[in-house]
């Protein structure tokens, strides 16, 4: 199984993000609600306010993406360290 995963990763065929969202899921319902709220909010704004709102949204999206990326990298590193310990046979952290 490991070889298949490594091959898929090497060939850029590893799908890490779920592509489809079930229309009846909570996530789908929240996305629909978000779209409706955003539309209603933008209709109430002037052109200048819409531009400011878009800048705010873009900045927030950038911060969120950077934060999520850092969280992923930190979690991945932790997982690798844990696996390294398992393969090394170290059990120094276990109280006997």
């Amino acid at each position: 199984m490991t070889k298949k995963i490594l091959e898929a990763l090497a060939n850029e065929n590893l799908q890490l993000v779920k592509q489809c969202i079930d229309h009846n899921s909570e996530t789908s319902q929240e996305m629909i609600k978000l779209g409706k709220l955003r539309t209603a909010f933008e209709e109430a704004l002037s052109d200048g306010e819409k531009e400011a709102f878009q800048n705010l949204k873009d900045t927030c999206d950038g911060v969120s993406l950077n934060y999520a990326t850092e969280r992923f990298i930190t979690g991945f590193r932790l997982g690798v360290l844990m696996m390294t310990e398992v393969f090394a046979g170290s059990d120094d952290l276990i109280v006997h």
Side-chain angles (χ1 to χ4, degrees):
M1 183 171 178
T2 302
K3 185 176 179 183
K4 290 180 183 179
I5 292 172
L6 291 176
E7 286 175 2
L9 181 62
N11 295 320
E12 298 180 6
N13 293 326
L14 190 61
Q15 181 176 329
L16 300 175
V17 178
K18 186 176 178 181
Q19 296 296 315
C20 299
I21 297 175
D22 181 13
H23 291 292
N24 295 324
S25 71
E26 184 177 342
T27 300
S28 177
Q29 297 303 312
E30 290 294 318
M31 289 173 68
I32 291 168
K33 181 179 177 181
L34 179 62
K36 289 178 180 178
L37 288 169
R38 181 177 174 159
T39 299
F41 183 71
E42 287 180 339
E43 287 175 353
L45 298 176
S46 69
D47 289 340
E49 291 170 329
K50 285 179 185 178
E51 185 177 340
F53 175 65
Q54 187 61 45
N55 287 334
L56 175 66
K57 184 186 172 309
D58 292 344
T59 303
C60 286
D61 289 348
V63 169
S64 294
L65 178 61
N66 290 335
Y67 180 68
T69 300
E70 288 300 317
R71 284 182 39 214
F72 173 81
I73 290 169
T74 301
F76 190 88
R77 286 180 176 159
L78 177 60
V80 169
L81 286 172
M82 291 168 65
M83 292 306 297
T84 301
E85 183 178 305
V86 168
F87 282 116
S90 173
D91 63 350
D92 294 341
L93 299 175
I94 299 173
V95 178
H96 296 282

